[in-house]
Amino acid sequence: MDPDRLFVGLDGRSLSVAGRHWTVAVYGVCDAAGRRWVQLALDGASHYMLTLRLAPGDGVAQAVLALSSWLGNAPRSSAVQVLNVA
């Protein structure tokens, strides 16, 4: 999947995990240094700023799975994180 399609597929998406809800705001997606990098915020029950590191070519499904998994164990307070998936 191309970075622009990933951006469009994630930006504004709603996520629900363990009865809590967030909206994804994507700031940028790029492929560099052999990885795919996604800068985003999650707004909802808590606010998080994340950089998601995926494998090259990973798409929306992989990003949503990684974010949902992380949110299931995320701290309750706001945090800035790099979430390494790849």
Side-chain angles (χ1 to χ4, degrees), residues 1-79:
M1 172 175 280
D2 123 319
D4 290 334
R5 288 183 60 210
L6 178 58
F7 187 110
V8 170
L10 281 178
D11 193 47
R13 179 177 287 264
S14 295
L15 295 176
S16 296
V17 177
R20 298 181 306 168
H21 308 281
W22 292 268
T23 300
V24 179
V26 178
Y27 300 117
V29 178
C30 71
D31 291 338
R35 295 284 185 250
R36 171 157 285 174
W37 301 90
V38 183
Q39 292 178 297
L40 57 89
L42 299 170
D43 292 311
S46 299
H47 179 79
Y48 300 104
M49 300 286 294
L50 298 170
T51 300
L52 180 60
R53 184 178 81 167
L54 300 167
D58 275 357
V60 173
Q62 292 87 356
V64 168
L65 181 62
L67 290 169
S68 296
S69 177
W70 183 82
L71 284 167
N73 298 305
R76 298 283 182 193
S77 63
S78 297

